[in-house]
Amino acid sequence: MKGLWMECVWHTTGIYQCQVHQSQLALPRDLQIARGMMVTSCVLSVLACVVSVFGMNCTQCAKRSSAKKMIVILGGVAFLFAGLTCLVPVAWSTNDVVQDFYNPALPYGMKFEIGQALYVGFISAGLTVIGGIVLLFTACQKDIPQVPYIHPSRNPRRVPMSRPTPVYKSSHTPTWSSASRQGYQINDFV
């Protein structure tokens, strides 16, 4: 397995051995760019989370201000950029793995498989982009007047409970005569 931060080898004897990339400058250029983009994606995601919290309706920051909508838009755009900067290196790495796998010049022991990190990368990039789209969509909707939430009092008065009237079974059995022209009597159903 080859990742952004280390390479791991699974030997035929069952030994699993990992080695961390020692030098940033000794790495190939595409791996350096992918590392930078993933770090940028993480930083943008944290920034988007913080900005989006301040833009939510439930927070007191910039309450009843036009800046509230701009804060939400800024958070949504930051989530979109974070998702895209995560998606590019993941798709790039997946493309490299697929091309190397079908390369007949490489021996079978040097071919990599698509691993869990790439699946997690695709899922996280997709969820981040969806989160950004949802924030942008909610920011672009019309302002609906909010009904203020009224906190319940500490000593609520209890409403007296009324008991339902008891229903007694009748020993009366319905007869054919009770289904006369007037219909059934009420005692026939109880």
Side-chain angles (χ1 to χ4, degrees):
M1 292 183 290
K2 180 171 72 170
L4 294 177
W5 312 105
M6 66 179 69
E7 284 189 17
C8 298
V9 177
W10 212 332
H11 298 286
T12 56
T13 58
I15 298 173
Y16 191 71
Q17 181 181 9
C18 292
Q19 180 181 1
V20 178
H21 298 301
Q22 297 297 330
S23 172
Q24 174 72 18
L25 299 175
L27 294 175
R29 179 128 359 241
D30 60 342
L31 193 57
Q32 290 178 1
I33 293 170
R35 274 182 162 189
M37 289 182 80
M38 288 304 285
V39 169
T40 303
S41 175
C42 292
V43 170
L44 279 174
S45 294
V46 170
L47 179 69
C49 286
V50 170
V51 169
S52 297
V53 165
F54 288 120
M56 290 181 179
N57 286 336
C58 60
T59 58
Q60 296 296 324
C61 178
K63 194 75 169 178
R64 298 185 185 104
S65 172
S66 62
K68 194 94 157 163
K69 187 179 273 192
M70 291 306 296
I71 293 171
V72 172
I73 291 172
L74 181 65
V77 168
F79 270 124
L80 279 177
F81 281 132
L84 292 177
T85 55
C86 176
L87 184 63
V88 169
V90 171
W92 196 351
S93 298
T94 304
N95 183 39
D96 288 345
V97 168
V98 170
Q99 281 184 349
D100 287 346
F101 186 80
Y102 291 116
N103 186 359
L106 283 176
Y108 182 74
M110 296 299 292
K111 293 182 180 183
F112 294 104
E113 293 280 338
I114 296 175
Q116 295 91 353
L118 293 177
Y119 293 120
V120 170
F122 278 120
I123 291 170
S124 63
L127 290 176
T128 307
V129 167
I130 289 171
I133 290 171
V134 167
L135 278 175
L136 290 175
F137 180 72
T138 57
C140 294
Q141 286 183 343
K142 285 183 179 178
D143 287 334
I144 299 171
Q146 298 288 329
V147 177
Y149 176 73
I150 300 172
H151 295 283
S153 63
R154 294 192 183 261
N155 295 325
R157 289 188 348 184
R158 295 195 174 226
V159 178
M161 295 181 58
S162 63
R163 293 186 182 161
T165 58
V167 177
Y168 300 108
K169 263 193 155 175
S170 172
S171 61
H172 174 71
T173 56
T175 61
W176 287 102
S177 63
S178 65
S180 62
R181 281 181 266 185
Q182 287 95 17
Y184 288 101
Q185 296 177 0
I186 196 158
N187 290 338
D188 293 337
F189 294 107
V190 179

